[in-house]
Amino acid sequence: LDAIAAEVALRVGEFNEQNLASTAWAFATAGHAAPALLDAIAAEAVPRVGRFKPQELSNTAWAFATAGHAAPALLDAIAAEAAPRVGGFTEQGLASTAWAFAT
């Protein structure tokens, strides 16, 4: 996974919002530390969170919390974007997002 993480970190600007969220989720789920990759995803995601779907916001918050990777600017951006859109979150998305911010 290290080789994939290194390559993805170089190419995150080519990823759409779902790809960013899914990649963060995959590495967190695998329990594979990839701090440079998560830093790259966070930097790319912050200015784009307005284009994330509710599930992508939830999955991204969950992934960073699960990975134990601090990304305050990203989590602040997710919180600001999610708050007015909570009605569009599934129950699972709400639970995952709440858990991520509680962690």
Side-chain angles (χ1 to χ4, degrees):
L1 287 175
D2 289 335
I4 294 171
E7 183 63 26
V8 171
L10 295 174
R11 296 173 52 180
V12 292
E14 301 169 24
F15 281 37
N16 66 28
E17 291 74 28
Q18 182 179 7
N19 296 150
L20 293 171
S22 294
T23 302
W25 177 90
F27 276 83
T29 299
H32 188 83
L37 170 61
L38 292 177
D39 286 343
I41 290 172
E44 188 65 33
V46 167
R48 294 167 50 180
V49 294
R51 297 194 310 246
F52 278 51
K53 295 177 182 164
Q55 183 175 352
E56 294 159 357
L57 293 169
S58 176
N59 288 353
T60 302
W62 179 90
F64 277 78
T66 298
H69 189 83
L74 175 60
L75 292 179
D76 287 350
I78 289 172
E81 186 60 36
R85 295 172 54 192
V86 294
F89 281 67
T90 65
E91 291 81 6
Q92 179 65 48
L94 290 170
S96 293
T97 304
W99 177 85
F101 282 94
T103 299

